[in-house]
Amino acid sequence: MADPENTLVLETTKGRVVIELRPDLAPLHVERIKTLAREKFYDGVPFHRVIEGFMAQSGDPTGTGTGGSKHPDLKAEFNAEPHVRGVCSMARTSNPNSANSQFFICFDDARFLDKQYTVWGKVVEGMENIDKVKRGEPVRDPDRITSMRVQADAA
């Protein structure tokens, strides 16, 4: 049985997506994602960078790829978890300790990112909905996260 405290439910313009959080891999990143979800930070945020065969990125309220939250950047928690289909990982600048609120979901193997980006979860339901997200860099009239909640709070 999934742990509701470590399960995220995203409602998107393409449908529902459920993500299993991995505090065992990246406790600080999981805590940040849950904090932002509880602040309703992700509600209405676009998938601003979506590359076919690679990943869908979100988490920037400005939709430009340069925005973040009011919280300080996180120290990297790189781990050995492979970047494969459905994996959720933090976006960052060239500074390894610059992850804040932006994250991406892998469409396919992206093993070249392994141990350089912090994996914090995996889609366990609704990956077909992520597959439907409109592509682009930047995306014109992008799909959005309409709401993102920690499952324990929705009970």
Side-chain angles (χ1 to χ4, degrees), residues 6-155:
N6 285 305
T7 304
L8 281 181
V9 179
L10 280 68
E11 297 296 341
T12 75
T13 45
K14 293 299 186 203
R16 186 173 208 232
V17 179
V18 179
I19 296 171
E20 176 191 9
L21 298 170
R22 296 287 309 273
D24 57 314
L25 296 177
L28 299 175
H29 286 69
V30 166
E31 197 50 49
R32 167 65 52 85
I33 295 284
K34 292 197 306 192
T35 295
L36 292 171
R38 287 179 164 134
E39 291 172 357
K40 299 181 171 49
F41 176 85
Y42 291 109
D43 294 13
V45 171
F47 285 97
H48 66 272
R49 182 171 179 244
V50 184
I51 303 170
E52 182 63 42
F54 180 29
M55 57 89 211
Q57 187 168 326
S58 186
D60 173 10
T62 71
T64 62
T66 59
S69 75
K70 65 183 181 191
H71 301 281
D73 288 348
L74 292 162
K75 188 172 182 336
E77 293 180 295
F78 300 156
N79 51 62
E81 194 68 16
H83 283 76
V84 294
R85 179 170 169 77
V87 158
C88 305
S89 189
M90 286 308 263
R92 60 172 178 80
T93 66
S94 56
N95 174 351
N97 301 313
S98 64
N100 186 291
S101 64
Q102 293 189 48
F103 67 92
F104 58 91
I105 300 172
C106 297
F107 287 127
D108 219 328
D109 275 21
R111 301 293 303 269
F112 60 94
L113 300 176
D114 290 1
K115 299 181 183 160
Q116 298 176 66
Y117 289 80
T118 300
V119 173
W120 54 265
K122 184 162 188 168
V123 173
V124 292
E125 189 185 307
M127 191 60 200
E128 69 279 4
N129 294 323
I130 294 298
D131 288 336
K132 294 176 200 162
V133 169
K134 192 187 290 182
R135 309 301 198 254
E137 277 187 280
V139 185
R140 292 174 61 124
D141 189 26
D143 285 299
R144 296 180 180 272
I145 297 170
T146 50
S147 77
M148 183 160 146
R149 299 290 177 268
V150 177
Q151 193 174 42
D153 301 342

